[in-house]
Amino acid sequence: MQRVFLYPIGMIALFGLAACVLPGAGKEEQTSGAADYAAYCAGCHGAGGAGDGEMAAGLETRPADLTGLAARNGGAFPTTRVMAQIWGYTGGKDGGRVMPQFSALLDGALVPYDGGDGIQTPTPIRLVELAEYLKVLQK
């Protein structure tokens, strides 16, 4: 014999109301490119992206100056190449990579992204937002 538990409507309504008023209840953690940059990049690259973060002095190789990415690419921001570098597609330490891979930290919800070839590729939204934020840092 299977038991069926019936909850009074008032109890269900109370739980529903609590979910609406509790801070953060029912919400995914909200992030932004600026927040991810501050959390994962600024320590080495600096708040303004010049490669002068607090941890930069202790590194064997100076972090890249991110403010000149567009200038070094003929005035066009190399979004796809930047996202590949952040994600870790460009190889490990043996391939000359010094920067850690951030794929595990930025993985999550996907959005269609066109890297310029006309093909909408499912891309983690946090990776796109981070690359878009880096565009703001360009001189």
Side-chain angles (χ1 to χ4, degrees):
M1 178 172 173
Q2 189 177 25
R3 290 187 182 191
V4 177
F5 294 97
L6 299 175
Y7 294 101
I9 297 295
M11 289 293 284
I12 294 171
L14 181 63
F15 285 124
L17 179 60
C20 292
V21 296
L22 290 175
K27 293 183 182 177
E28 287 187 30
E29 179 183 341
Q30 297 295 314
T31 60
S32 70
D36 280 338
Y37 181 84
Y40 303 127
C41 311
C44 294
H45 292 284
D52 58 354
E54 293 176 14
M55 298 184 334
L59 298 174
E60 192 173 309
T61 303
R62 180 185 165 106
D65 178 349
L66 303 176
T67 64
L69 292 170
R72 291 189 298 269
N73 193 52
F77 188 81
T79 310
T80 303
R81 202 165 65 230
V82 167
M83 289 193 302
Q85 178 71 22
I86 295 166
W87 194 257
Y89 287 138
T90 57
K93 191 137 178 116
D94 295 334
R97 182 181 174 88
V98 176
M99 191 175 96
Q101 295 180 15
F102 289 100
S103 56
L105 297 172
L106 300 174
D107 203 7
L110 302 176
V111 294
Y113 175 76
D114 180 354
D117 57 5
I119 299 171
Q120 296 285 326
T121 305
T123 307
I125 191 169
R126 290 177 71 184
L127 182 60
V128 172
E129 289 174 345
L130 183 53
E132 290 297 318
Y133 177 73
L134 292 177
K135 289 179 183 180
V136 175
L137 301 180
Q138 300 307 293
K139 290 184 179 177

